[in-house]
Amino acid sequence: MIHSFTDLQSIQGKLAAGATSCAELTEYYLDRIHEGAHLNAFISLFAERARAQAVEIDGKQKKGTAGRLAGMIMAIKDNMVLDYGATTCGSHILEHFQSPYTATVLKKLAAEDAIFIGKTNMDEFAMGSSTENSAFGLVRNPLDNDRVPGGSSGGSAVAVAADFCTAALGSDTGGSIRQPASFCGVIGLKPTYGRVSRYGLVAFASSLDQIGPLTRSVDDAALLMNVLAGRDPGDSTSAAVDVPDFCADLDKPLKGLRIGIPQEYYGEGLDETVRQALQKTSEFLRDMQAIPVPVSLPHTEYSIATYYILANAEASANLARYDGAHYGARADAARSLEEMYVQTRSQAFGAEVKRRIMLGTYVLSSGYYEAYYAKAQQVRTRLRDDFDGAWQHCDLLLTPTCPTTAFRIGEKASDPLTMYLSDVYTVSVNLTGLPALSIPCGQDPQGLPIGAQLIGQPFAEGTLLRVAKQLQLHHAPTRQVLRLEER
Amino acid sequence: MSNHIEYEPVIGLEVHIQLSTVSKIFCGCRARFGSEANAQVCPVCLGLPGALPVLNRKAVDYAARLALATGCEINPRSVFARKNYFYPDLPKGYQISQFEQPFCENGMITVETASGGKRPVRIRRIHLEEDAGKSMHQEAYVGDDESLVDLNRCGVPLLELVTEPDLTAPEEAAAFLAYLRQLVRYLEICDGNMEEGSLRCDANISVRVRGTFGLGTKTELKNMNSFRHVERALAFEYERQCALLTAGQAVQQETLLWDANRNIATPMRSKEFAHDYRYFPEPDLLPVEIETNWIEAQRRDLPELPQAKKVRYQEAFFLPAYDAAVLTEDADVAHYYEQVADRVDDKKLASNWVMGEVLRACKERGEGVTDLKMTPALLADLLGMLTRSEINSGMAKQIFEQVLQTGKSPHDLVAEGGLSQIDDHDSLQSVIQTVLQAQQKDVSAYLQGNEKVLGFLMGLVMKATSGRANPRTVTSLLREELAQLKNRL
Ligand SMILES: [Zn+2]
């Protein structure tokens, strides 16, 4: 019987010592996934393929030719394409869709000998904050099965928290990595827009989407960033910016680092226990000789409206290709082209996706474009100016990731607007393209994790990881859910 | 053309120019056709989930050539936009085009009309976009209730050129298109084949009382696949609008489809064009940033344009306007002509031969000038022999044909004697004697041992027989004759 590992370094130590093998690890995780099936974290599993890969990598390990990620068993959000298995995006419309090609990030990970154990459940097309919007059933929080895991990368966050894998990939359009990381008590990093290739990530909102890691350790997040980051000629929006060694400065002291506390992120609507946890986090950082400074991001109140206009506008175009003509589901009974479109899309998209397509179509329509889309783009510029102003005074920002801890299943499902408002602290980061990381910083009286969000300057993921490392070591270690009985 | 002399048409054109780049505009697939349906495709041009476009810079180079050749201002920053509509030949559900910030704007093309006048036509804008696939509804192998789609054409780069409504006659529209076709071929950015869809033209037309400046209600004409059809469709629509106005009725703003079989334009169902395209900037692509230095480099690389070339042929080669027009019609022909003209003194003779024999040969053989075995250098040799009267023009034409067949040089062909030759000794001897009598000095030089003179004398005999003498016979007879003279000394 092997024991759970918190990070890849300890796994690789045991592999090197011959105390475990990739094959053994794979069996361990497959058993865990089976045991935790009620959480519904996965849409598909690659058990046989993973076993075969494990044997192959164990062979390489003996020869000393294994890659940097040997021993890392990963779960992948089901909106990144692989040239095997299905890529569903949590939607009936892609239920049986098989991609002929593989996403750039997955090629990079596989080249370093990461093993993909399965594809994780998600809100349909990443539209949601609770993973209640999946065509393949909702996902449960492993800490309290009546609560949501957050979303849209709920399956990936659960897989990491419940020890179904060493690490997972999520995608973050308005908080979809950070918010579930916060609700499940793990680390989630949304890199700077352009830092990681989007080639092969099924688009929700192209100018906001970014792939990032979910892990139990800061070191693993840094190591994964070393592999994931970098310019991809297949993605025109990926940045030609040098990739540093994100592991190199992790232990550098925080002395003198200026930590901005944006007052707008601590106002009305913030749960009192979350506020207190953030207060303690700020005090801890001060003890580490960092310097908290109050800053202001005055346009924050417009960020939710701006986000839902721009994200849905882009989504309405990005999802137009699911029309039944070329691939994916097609309505059988249609007797004309128009009927095929209407019936296919009416039947195979879920309610939230349809709502957003309609909103996005509306804000781009002739006569409304200026009032909504064009105005939102202007606000987006103001939000950037806000952050540029803050960077005059600080090196990074500390905020709550979410106003509350994980809410109950069904609690907000019937009220989309309340659901949208829970994204208040995460969407500005996507609108401005900045990197941000969520890390556990305490728990509420029910024992539910609270997430602190660190927001960095463009391409300063390294600074976020450095601060996160100290928090993990000395402030609030990441918890692992080892007992999987229903709770 | 019309009995509605009081009305004049006001015409604008929208032309789609399919660029002849090797690969498509946003992926590496081949842009030239040739393979079976749906074989020249990849995740990007198929619009598969997760695939992203990457701009082919060659398409930008091509756009810049047309921009500069039409005097457009190239925008330092142009932006791709998504044009949203559903159709099975558009796999993404949107076409990547340019909308608010096109590649270039405010150009001008001056068209020479049939009557010899000049019509300046303002170019409103030229923008880059991707082509859609092809839907097949009526092919033999398509069932009644199904359609097939070929996506090979998806993502082939297009330029869309939009003119202001500056054309005032259907013939001018045809002349504009003819010039545009010539231009894109000169620029080597498009093969200009309208029948095959490399150039596609939509037109809008309204009419107004001649001499006034207001604009009437316009209609749009689509589905014309040749210059002739554009001209006919516009003439049809002009007559139709005039008749409506004369009868006191109003013109409806609508889109009409040209039916080439019936020679009429019929309205499209209103649903087919009632689109709200919901344009917005394409988030998957960066704006196209153009630097002034780059524009200047492109400008320097621009070939001489047909109108300038035509003027130069008249001024530098003293060619008549007609010759200049014919020779510059096609860039390859013009290049051919210039290579010949470089090698011969008589530019008009070169023009006659290129316009006559060369173009006829191309037509008969279905070849381009660059494919002919009669290269410009060989033609220049032939014309040189003709100018020096070494051959007569009848023989020149025979040699021309033989060069076309064999690719051998005119000199060799004459030397080989493959032509209708003079070989009988009597007639050749009399020619030789005539030559020798006229060249007493050279003869005595030869007799004093200057053997080189033989070649010269030989040339004179050939010239005197227009090259038709059998050179071997001439050589032997000439030697005999000179030997006899030597003996007499
Ligand atoms: Zn392609």
Side-chain angles (χ1 to χ4, degrees):
Chain A
M1 177 71 201
I2 59 163
H3 296 285
S4 157
F5 295 102
T6 310
D7 57 38
L8 185 64
Q9 205 184 0
S10 44
I11 290 175
Q12 288 182 340
K14 296 270 183 177
L15 286 176
T20 188
S21 64
C22 291
E24 199 179 24
L25 280 166
T26 303
E27 291 310 323
Y28 166 75
Y29 287 126
L30 286 169
D31 286 349
R32 295 277 307 173
I33 291 166
H34 182 68
E35 207 181 330
H38 60 283
L39 300 177
N40 199 24
F42 285 87
I43 291 176
S44 51
L45 285 176
F46 306 128
E48 288 319 308
R49 186 182 279 266
R51 286 181 174 120
Q53 282 172 325
V55 169
E56 190 189 322
I57 293 164
D58 283 334
K60 286 191 191 177
Q61 187 75 28
K62 288 201 184 86
K63 284 186 268 173
T65 58
R68 279 185 287 173
L69 298 181
M72 186 169 267
I73 316 290
M74 296 190 70
I76 307 299
K77 188 177 182 179
D78 203 18
N79 60 351
M80 292 167 226
V81 299
L82 272 174
D83 62 7
Y84 54 87
T87 299
T88 69
C89 287
S91 180
H92 281 308
I93 212 157
L94 287 178
E95 189 167 354
H96 304 294
F97 174 70
Q98 304 235 352
S99 171
Y101 76 103
T102 295
T104 301
V105 288
L106 302 186
K107 281 190 184 166
K108 285 183 162 188
L109 293 172
E112 293 293 345
D113 287 337
I115 292 172
F116 307 140
I117 201 159
K119 303 283 280 291
T120 59
N121 207 344
M122 55 184 281
D123 283 307
E124 185 177 3
F125 284 102
M127 295 175 175
S129 311
S130 64
T131 318
E132 292 170 288
N133 298 333
S134 168
F136 306 104
L138 57 81
V139 178
R140 293 177 185 277
N141 192 313
L143 294 149
D144 177 344
N145 294 170
D146 291 330
R147 292 181 186 268
V148 303
S152 64
S153 311
S156 287
V158 169
V160 174
D163 204 26
F164 295 158
C165 57
T166 326
L169 284 192
S171 68
D172 191 317
T173 306
S176 283
I177 289 174
R178 292 159 288 155
Q179 187 250 23
S182 169
F183 282 11
C184 293
V186 300
I187 294 157
L189 171 63
K190 185 210 88 88
T192 311
Y193 185 79
R195 182 62 112 174
V196 174
S197 167
R198 293 186 295 117
Y199 192 79
L201 169 66
V202 181
F204 161 14
S206 313
S207 76
L208 305 165
D209 296 341
Q210 192 66 188
I211 291 169
L214 291 115
T215 61
R216 284 189 300 273
S217 89
V218 175
D219 291 72
D220 283 0
L223 180 61
L224 282 170
M225 280 304 290
N226 279 353
V227 176
L228 295 171
R231 163 107 181 120
D232 175 8
D235 174 1
S236 312
T237 64
S238 77
V241 173
D242 286 344
V243 179
D245 178 358
F246 291 104
C247 299
D249 288 337
L250 281 181
D251 296 313
K252 215 167 130 186
L254 306 185
K255 187 178 177 185
L257 210 55
R258 296 166 306 162
I259 311 234
I261 312 290
Q263 57 183 40
E264 292 81 1
Y265 283 62
Y266 292 85
E268 206 182 323
L270 176 60
D271 192 275
E272 189 51 33
T273 52
V274 177
R275 180 199 308 278
Q276 284 169 11
L278 265 294
Q279 179 67 35
K280 282 188 191 145
T281 304
S282 169
E283 283 161 13
F284 164 78
L285 293 173
R286 187 198 307 262
D287 293 344
M288 302 295 288
Q289 295 184 293
I291 309 159
V293 283
V295 294
S296 177
L297 301 168
H299 294 90
T300 300
E301 62 174 306
Y302 305 112
S303 61
I304 289 279
T306 304
Y307 171 79
Y308 278 94
I309 289 170
L310 296 179
N312 292 344
E314 292 182 18
S316 72
N318 282 330
L319 272 61
R321 67 190 66 192
Y322 311 112
D323 60 5
H326 302 282
Y327 49 80
R330 176 193 290 180
D332 303 327
R335 295 151 61 98
S336 70
L337 183 61
E338 191 178 327
E339 273 184 32
M340 180 182 84
Y341 289 150
V342 171
Q343 290 180 13
T344 298
R345 290 165 69 82
S346 300
Q347 290 163 13
F349 281 140
E352 181 62 24
V353 169
K354 283 188 257 190
R355 181 180 298 122
R356 296 199 192 199
I357 291 173
M358 284 190 277
L359 282 169
T361 303
Y362 177 77
V363 300
L364 289 173
S365 297
S366 165
Y368 298 96
Y369 180 89
E370 289 298 321
Y372 293 106
Y373 184 86
K375 184 66 100 187
Q377 287 291 19
Q378 289 165 2
V379 178
R380 192 173 187 176
T381 307
R382 296 292 180 87
L383 285 167
R384 269 196 203 109
D385 295 344
D386 276 6
F387 281 94
D388 286 345
W391 302 137
Q392 306 297 311
H393 307 288
C394 61
D395 303 304
L396 74 159
L397 300 170
L398 171 68
T399 79
T401 306
C402 307
T404 65
T405 52
F407 46 84
R408 290 184 183 283
I409 287 168
E411 187 179 330
K412 298 186 180 180
S414 57
D415 184 357
L417 195 58
T418 317
M419 184 79 90
Y420 295 172
L421 289 173
S422 69
D423 298 336
V424 60
Y425 301 140
T426 47
V427 295
S428 291
V429 158
N430 300 82
L431 289 167
T432 53
L434 297 170
L437 178 151
S438 180
I439 181 160
C441 72
Q443 46 186 275
D444 71 3
Q446 291 87 46
L448 296 169
I450 295 168
Q453 176 176 236
L454 305 170
I455 302 173
Q457 299 183 6
F459 302 102
E461 291 88 355
T463 310
L464 305 183
L465 290 163
R466 190 176 133 204
V467 174
K469 179 78 190 274
Q470 296 306 315
L471 289 173
Q472 181 166 43
L473 278 177
H474 306 297
H475 182 58
T478 306
R479 292 190 323 170
Q480 204 156 309
V481 186
L482 289 175
R483 295 182 346 176
L484 285 171
E485 77 275 17
E486 298 193 20
R487 55 174 95 199
Chain B
M1 75 174 174
S2 164
N3 40 18
H4 300 287
I5 192 72
E6 70 275 27
Y7 291 114
E8 70 172 352
V10 178
I11 298 167
L13 300 178
E14 259 184 48
V15 190
H16 284 92
I17 300 155
Q18 194 178 67
L19 299 180
S20 51
T21 50
V22 175
S23 48
K24 294 184 178 181
I25 185 167
F26 298 125
C27 63
C29 292
R30 266 170 51 85
R32 306 293 188 97
F33 309 122
S35 25
E36 58 186 302
N38 297 308
Q40 288 170 223
V41 293
C42 72
V44 176
C45 55
L46 287 175
L48 291 188
L52 296 171
V54 175
L55 178 61
N56 175 358
R57 281 299 297 201
K58 261 283 180 278
V60 178
D61 293 357
Y62 282 24
R65 283 190 219 164
L66 186 61
L68 293 169
T70 55
C72 282
E73 298 154 18
I74 296 178
N75 288 321
R77 180 186 163 95
S78 63
V79 175
F80 284 104
R82 293 186 183 175
K83 178 181 182 178
N84 296 284
Y85 65 94
F86 285 95
Y87 205 69
D89 64 17
L90 189 71
K92 295 192 296 300
Y94 55 84
Q95 178 193 25
I96 303 178
S97 180
Q98 294 187 312
F99 184 56
E100 278 184 344
Q101 289 163 274
F103 183 74
C104 65
E105 294 168 276
N106 302 325
M108 173 84 81
I109 285 179
T110 302
V111 179
E112 289 173 27
T113 58
S115 56
K118 287 193 193 307
R119 170 70 59 201
V121 182
R122 289 168 298 159
I123 308 300
R124 185 182 298 165
R125 56 185 279 152
I126 302 173
H127 71 246
L128 276 159
E129 62 185 28
E130 59 178 340
D131 210 342
K134 279 183 183 163
S135 296
M136 285 168 270
H137 309 294
Q138 289 151 357
E139 320 292 313
Y141 46 88
V142 180
D144 282 347
D145 57 345
E146 58 182 18
S147 295
L148 297 179
V149 183
D150 177 3
L151 299 178
N152 282 348
R153 203 178 68 179
C154 265
V156 169
L158 293 179
L159 290 178
E160 181 177 328
L161 177 150
V162 182
T163 76
E164 298 291 347
D166 288 347
L167 295 154
T168 63
E171 308 83 73
E172 284 181 13
F176 178 92
L177 288 172
Y179 179 67
L180 186 62
R181 176 180 185 275
Q182 186 186 17
L183 192 59
V184 296
R185 287 172 54 88
Y186 260 73
L187 298 171
E188 296 178 356
I189 61 173
C190 168
D191 66 23
N193 194 324
M194 215 170 160
E195 280 75 13
E196 286 175 17
S198 308
L199 272 185
R200 282 166 254 164
C201 178
D202 297 337
N204 56 71
I205 174 170
S206 61
V207 299
R208 67 181 167 204
V209 173
R210 209 169 281 281
T212 62
F213 292 99
L215 289 176
T217 304
K218 68 179 176 188
T219 57
E220 240 189 288
L221 286 165
K222 290 180 182 287
N223 200 37
M224 303 157 295
N225 62 2
S226 73
F227 300 158
R228 207 168 34 125
H229 286 144
V230 171
E231 191 173 336
R232 277 195 205 159
L234 284 167
F236 170 89
E237 181 57 8
Y238 167 64
E239 292 294 333
R240 193 186 70 91
Q241 291 190 13
C242 289
L244 281 173
L245 296 181
T246 309
Q249 291 174 302
V251 173
Q252 300 295 319
Q253 184 164 349
E254 60 186 341
T255 300
L256 303 150
L257 287 183
W258 178 245
D259 182 335
N261 294 324
R262 296 195 294 160
N263 276 321
I264 56 168
T266 50
M268 278 173 98
R269 284 183 294 127
S270 58
K271 243 176 137 180
E272 288 177 88
F273 64 97
H275 280 306
D276 176 359
Y277 290 122
R278 306 189 308 279
Y279 284 99
F280 72 100
E282 165 58 279
D284 285 331
L285 289 165
L286 305 178
V288 182
E289 311 267 3
I290 301 288
E291 289 178 8
T292 320
N293 290 343
W294 183 83
I295 295 178
E296 289 318 311
Q298 295 293 115
R299 201 191 298 280
R300 281 194 295 277
D301 288 350
L302 218 55
E304 185 181 30
L305 300 182
Q307 287 176 346
K309 203 181 268 296
K310 207 164 109 181
V311 170
R312 182 166 64 85
Y313 282 15
Q314 294 174 65
E315 289 176 353
F317 299 152
F318 302 104
L319 294 184
Y322 174 81
D323 290 38
V326 173
L327 293 173
T328 56
E329 170 63 33
D330 179 277
D332 286 341
V333 173
H335 185 66
Y336 186 103
Y337 170 72
E338 285 179 36
Q339 285 181 293
V340 179
D342 276 351
R343 294 175 166 90
V344 301
D345 294 329
D346 189 342
K347 314 298 183 193
K348 175 60 179 151
L349 179 71
S351 168
N352 291 345
W353 276 76
V354 173
M355 290 197 302
E357 298 305 311
V358 173
L359 291 183
R360 182 188 51 74
C362 288
K363 204 169 170 188
E364 283 174 7
R365 308 170 79 88
E367 290 177 358
V369 278
T370 49
D371 305 324
L372 294 180
K373 285 186 178 156
M374 173 54 90
T375 63
L378 294 179
L379 180 58
D381 286 349
L382 182 67
L383 297 183
M385 291 161 74
L386 183 61
T387 316
R388 293 190 299 273
S389 301
E390 292 168 22
I391 52 176
N392 63 27
S393 68
M395 289 196 65
K397 284 186 183 166
Q398 282 185 35
I399 297 171
F400 186 93
E401 286 305 321
Q402 294 200 6
V403 177
L404 277 181
Q405 308 280 347
T406 62
K408 288 183 180 167
S409 88
H411 283 295
D412 289 351
L413 284 166
V414 171
E416 283 172 18
L419 298 163
S420 56
Q421 282 181 329
I422 307 170
D423 206 12
D424 72 291
H425 290 213
D426 287 348
S427 36
L428 286 179
Q429 237 150 11
S430 82
V431 176
I432 288 168
Q433 272 159 10
T434 317
V435 167
L436 293 183
Q437 298 220 312
Q439 307 293 331
Q440 298 280 355
K441 258 172 85 180
D442 296 295
V443 172
S444 43
Y446 177 85
L447 295 176
Q448 282 158 28
N450 186 353
E451 294 267 327
K452 281 182 195 164
V453 175
L454 186 67
F456 173 72
L457 295 171
M458 163 92 194
L460 291 176
V461 174
M462 291 308 291
K463 190 172 167 178
T465 59
S466 300
R468 287 173 62 205
N470 182 335
R472 283 185 207 141
T473 317
V474 173
T475 310
S476 68
L477 288 177
L478 200 54
R479 283 186 193 282
E480 269 175 36
E481 204 65 33
L482 287 165
Q484 282 178 18
L485 286 174
K486 198 166 189 176
N487 290 342
R488 282 183 218 155
L489 278 176

